[in-house]
Amino acid sequence: MSRPSRSLVVDRPGEHRLSETELKDPGPGEVLIRVAAAGICMSDREVYDGHRDSGYVRYPLVPGHEWSGTVAAVGPGADPALVGRRTVAEGFRACGTCERCRCGETSLCTGGYAETGFTEPGAFADHLTVPARLLHLLEDDADLRAAALLEPAAVVAAAARAGRPSPGERIAVVGAGTLGLLAVQLLAASTPAELTVIDPRTPRAAQARKFGAVESLTPDQAASAYGHFDLVVETAGAPTTAATSCLLARRGGRVVLTGMFAPGAVGIDPVHLSLSQLQVRSVFGAPSSAWSDAVRAFGLGLLDPAPLITHEFPLERFAEAIALVGGGDPTTGKVLLRP
């Protein structure tokens, strides 16, 4: 393909440039994607600031692991019928043959860490090349702007699988960022008796109530609800939220941790853990099964990520876009790049 394509390259922490190169044909088993939209999350900010663990990033890098697009071309061995299809794709380049992959835990692949947007070229670009086997196809009329958030939605779907919500249960979601608000939407579909969101930011709590939460509490107010919930889904990754989530769960309850915690976070009290007989699970990324759940829920209208989007920028304005992420403004939701 003899036409140029732009990409946003982070050469090293704090340094980026807009690069233009000639498009390459996709290789065997690969597809070329025309990117429609790519979300920026805190992991991307960590990459840009140089705060991501060195084992989970490779510079120079084209970031962008939350994205949607349309198949523009296929390589040898890939189905030609894919051309023109709207799609998203799993980020982990799982080997598919190791023990963990064979057990369905593709996010725990032991074949070596490789992920779109962190070690492999990502979607802050006009085009992206990925293995066809990672695609999850969307409906022909799917909203690609909203579909860019299906990567965090897949993480939430993985949390729901781990938490096993049942109708009539009391559920709390700790954190009302992108993951938390998507979790509220998905968990509301399980018809809980109570669905409470815990977040100090009033605008985010109000949005959670629109998405199906029946109550919102600040972290200080949440102390009165310790020991109350059947299931607690933690999404914030703040220093104290893992420990607090365990306190919120009833004896014999379930806790799922999805936030990415930094060193120094408050630990979980082992005495409380054993005496309360809690089930505690953590989620790292999303396996293939969770991606399927998220895409299915999106197609059915159970997940509607579009209201979470507050800002959209072209690639040329990446510096403005990345500055908003993690900037502390509670009215900033999901920030998109639109090539």
Side-chain angles (χ1 to χ4, degrees), residues 162-174:
R164 309 181 314 280
S166 295
E169 287 195 313
R170 301 183 301 270
I171 301 177
V173 175
V174 179

Side-chain angles (χ1 to χ4, degrees), residues 8-87:
L8 194 290
V9 181
V10 177
D11 288 305
R12 58 185 59 84
E15 295 184 18
H16 71 276
R17 57 187 167 86
L18 194 60
S19 173
E20 186 174 289
T21 58
E22 292 296 312
L23 272 180
K24 295 181 179 179
D25 292 331
E30 294 181 334
V31 295
L32 179 72
I33 304 293
R34 184 171 65 253
V35 178
I40 306 177
C41 83
M42 275 303 298
S43 295
D44 299 308
R45 180 65 188 265
E46 290 170 0
V47 166
Y48 189 67
D49 290 342
H51 297 157
R52 188 170 175 87
D53 187 284
S54 60
Y56 294 89
V57 64
R58 187 178 301 144
Y59 301 99
L61 172 69
V62 179
H65 61 286
E66 303 178 3
W67 60 269
S68 63
T70 304
V71 179
V74 301
D79 185 357
L82 291 172
V83 175
R85 292 298 305 271
R86 299 185 180 198
T87 192

Side-chain angles (χ1 to χ4, degrees), residues 198-214:
I198 297 165
D199 195 285
R201 298 166 294 184
T202 300
R204 293 300 184 89
Q207 193 168 23
R209 291 194 297 272
K210 292 180 181 178
F211 288 163
V214 297

Side-chain angles (χ1 to χ4, degrees), residues 149-238:
L149 276 69
L150 283 175
E151 191 277 341
V155 175
V156 166
R161 277 182 166 252
R164 309 181 314 280
S166 295
E169 287 195 313
R170 301 183 301 270
I171 301 177
V173 175
V174 179
T178 297
L179 284 179
L181 293 173
L182 290 170
V184 167
Q185 289 191 20
L186 194 59
L187 292 167
S190 70
T191 59
E194 299 176 22
L195 183 53
T196 300
V197 67
I198 297 165
D199 195 285
R201 298 166 294 184
T202 300
R204 293 300 184 89
Q207 193 168 23
R209 291 194 297 272
K210 292 180 181 178
F211 288 163
V214 297
E215 182 184 32
S216 60
L217 302 173
T218 67
D220 289 340
Q221 292 169 336
S224 64
Y226 284 174
H228 179 71
F229 297 100
D230 301 293
L231 171 63
V232 181
V233 177
E234 188 282 331
T235 68

Side-chain angles (χ1 to χ4, degrees), residues 67-124:
W67 60 269
S68 63
T70 304
V71 179
V74 301
D79 185 357
L82 291 172
V83 175
R85 292 298 305 271
R86 299 185 180 198
T87 192
V88 292
E90 298 173 35
F92 288 115
R93 306 291 181 93
C95 72
T97 59
C98 72
E99 183 180 7
R100 295 274 57 83
C101 284
R102 299 286 292 195
C103 290
E105 298 174 333
T106 51
S107 58
L108 300 179
C109 174
T110 60
Y113 172 71
E115 185 176 3
T116 300
F118 296 107
T119 64
E120 311 300 320
F124 291 176

